[in-house]
Amino acid sequence: MQKLPLKLEKRLEKRKNDNSYRSLPLEIKGVDFFSNDYLGFSSSEVVRNRTSEIMDVQAYKNGATGSRLLSGNHPLFSKAEKMIADFHDAESALIFNSGYDANLGFFSAVPQKGDIIFYDELSHASIRDGIRMSLAKSYRFTHNSLQDLDSKLRRFDTSSNDFQLYIVTESVFSMDGDIPDLEGLTKLSKKYNALLVIDEAHATGVFGENGVGLIQQLGLEENVFARIQTFGKAIGSHGAAILGSDQLRKYLINFARSFIYTTALSPHTLATIITVYENLQLDVENVTRLRANINFFKAELDRNALTKRFINSDSAIQSCILPGNERVKSIALQLQENGFVVKPILSPTVPLGQERLRFCLHAYNSKQEISEVLERLANFVQKSN
């Protein structure tokens, strides 16, 4: 085998020296405070059995066999997309293979040369990578700062038809778990005739009635040009959908390269997504338990004098700032040795000095587990000072 080029070897070595080297983990055993499976659907026997029923009805193939524009557009796609659009109060939905693919497809295809994109500086890597592939100009604005965004927007003549403005953010941020002023963003988008694009990856299944997400909870559906809903978090499966007008759907089918040039999702994956959306419509128990656990977790932060160490969040993501890669990895290991799996988030994934333990809460976490993990965290943090 040919050796890795020296430049690349040096980059790997630097990661090791910075204590930020990544490797694939083996199966981790312990109480789950690290996965995105917020509602527990990935291990649900009900979901598994219902998915099998759907697959058996028409004896679907194991694989899609091709892209959706060739042989892969099996009947479950139209059923799933209609269900998703109805559930999220959207005119249409178009399914992509992942949230990453959805963001790459949207931002590389929709904003055109001469257009201008304003995006939150903490937007997910998939958003930023998609924007890099666009021919539009882009400017980042200070995290969750309407003032900074407004100051950037006012530089442009919004009466011109020569370009389109886009405002891009997440409804729940994946590393901090915080929430932008979505109503304020809506007002700014109207003021400057900008199109609003919201990634709802970590809001779906967590916020709103039946877990519809934050946009619907706030009644802002009609004010958002495109919503990205992903299925790898609370839905417990894989894939994503872009919600918007029927015209937007037709445009993406014709121009989104990450949609056109890839094998479609398998029938089994679509059957799982359909099953979970059926469950969300009929049973709110999991969503209710998750919300109760989030509230209990925050109360336990107060009891253990940890509130100031955590970023304020009402979402399933709760982040404890512990500066230093070595320190945060050490405390994560101590928690794991005590039976609790919490992932350390290292720089450069987050800025230097913002290294953290990222707790992901679930409907299936017990109150006892929440109390115990935070009691141990308080003890380990105190010892590390």
Side-chain angles (χ1 to χ4, degrees), residues 28 47 58 60 65 110 125 165 168 191 195 205 235 243 310 317 338 346:
I28 304 174
V47 171
Q58 294 192 30
Y60 286 106
T65 77
V110 176
L165 302 179
V168 184
K191 177 181 177 181
L195 296 178
I235 304 303
L243 308 179
F310 277 74
I317 300 167
N338 280 262
L346 314 176

Side-chain angles (χ1 to χ4, degrees), residues 10-162:
K10 288 182 177 179
R11 292 193 73 190
L12 271 180
E13 195 60 35
K14 185 176 187 303
R15 277 285 168 91
K16 292 176 182 177
N17 293 336
D18 293 343
N19 206 13
S20 60
Y21 181 76
R22 298 182 177 103
S23 59
L24 294 174
L26 300 173
E27 182 182 4
I28 304 174
K29 294 183 179 180
V31 178
D32 179 4
F33 283 107
F34 77 108
S35 80
N36 291 325
D37 187 24
Y38 302 133
L39 298 177
F41 285 131
S42 72
S43 57
S44 167
E45 187 174 346
V46 172
V47 171
R48 187 182 304 114
N49 292 339
R50 172 61 180 145
T51 298
S52 296
E53 288 178 11
I54 294 173
M55 291 292 292
D56 290 342
V57 168
Q58 294 192 30
Y60 286 106
K61 295 178 180 179
N62 293 325
T65 77
S67 73
R68 288 185 66 184
L69 290 169
L70 294 176
S71 60
N73 195 38
H74 49 81
L76 288 178
F77 272 108
S78 58
K79 181 176 180 178
E81 287 173 338
K82 184 180 187 311
M83 178 180 287
I84 292 162
D86 289 347
F87 183 83
H88 290 293
D89 192 21
E91 187 175 313
S92 73
L94 183 66
I95 289 176
F96 285 71
N97 283 13
S98 68
Y100 195 97
D101 281 342
N103 278 322
L104 251 61
F106 180 90
F107 290 107
S108 64
V110 176
Q112 298 294 295
K113 186 175 182 179
D115 292 344
I116 302 161
I117 305 169
F118 300 91
Y119 66 97
D120 189 290
E121 63 181 345
L122 296 188
S123 293
H124 192 270
S126 60
I127 294 174
R128 290 183 278 114
D129 287 355
I131 290 172
R132 287 193 191 102
M133 295 172 68
S134 172
L135 296 176
K137 293 181 180 179
S138 62
Y139 301 91
R140 61 185 180 183
F141 60 90
T142 303
H143 180 52
N144 285 346
S145 173
L146 295 182
Q147 182 178 3
D148 185 50
L149 175 59
D150 184 75
S151 70
K152 288 179 167 60
L153 284 164
R154 72 166 65 108
R155 299 174 189 171
F156 297 90
D157 178 12
T158 56
S159 64
S160 172
N161 293 320
D162 294 336

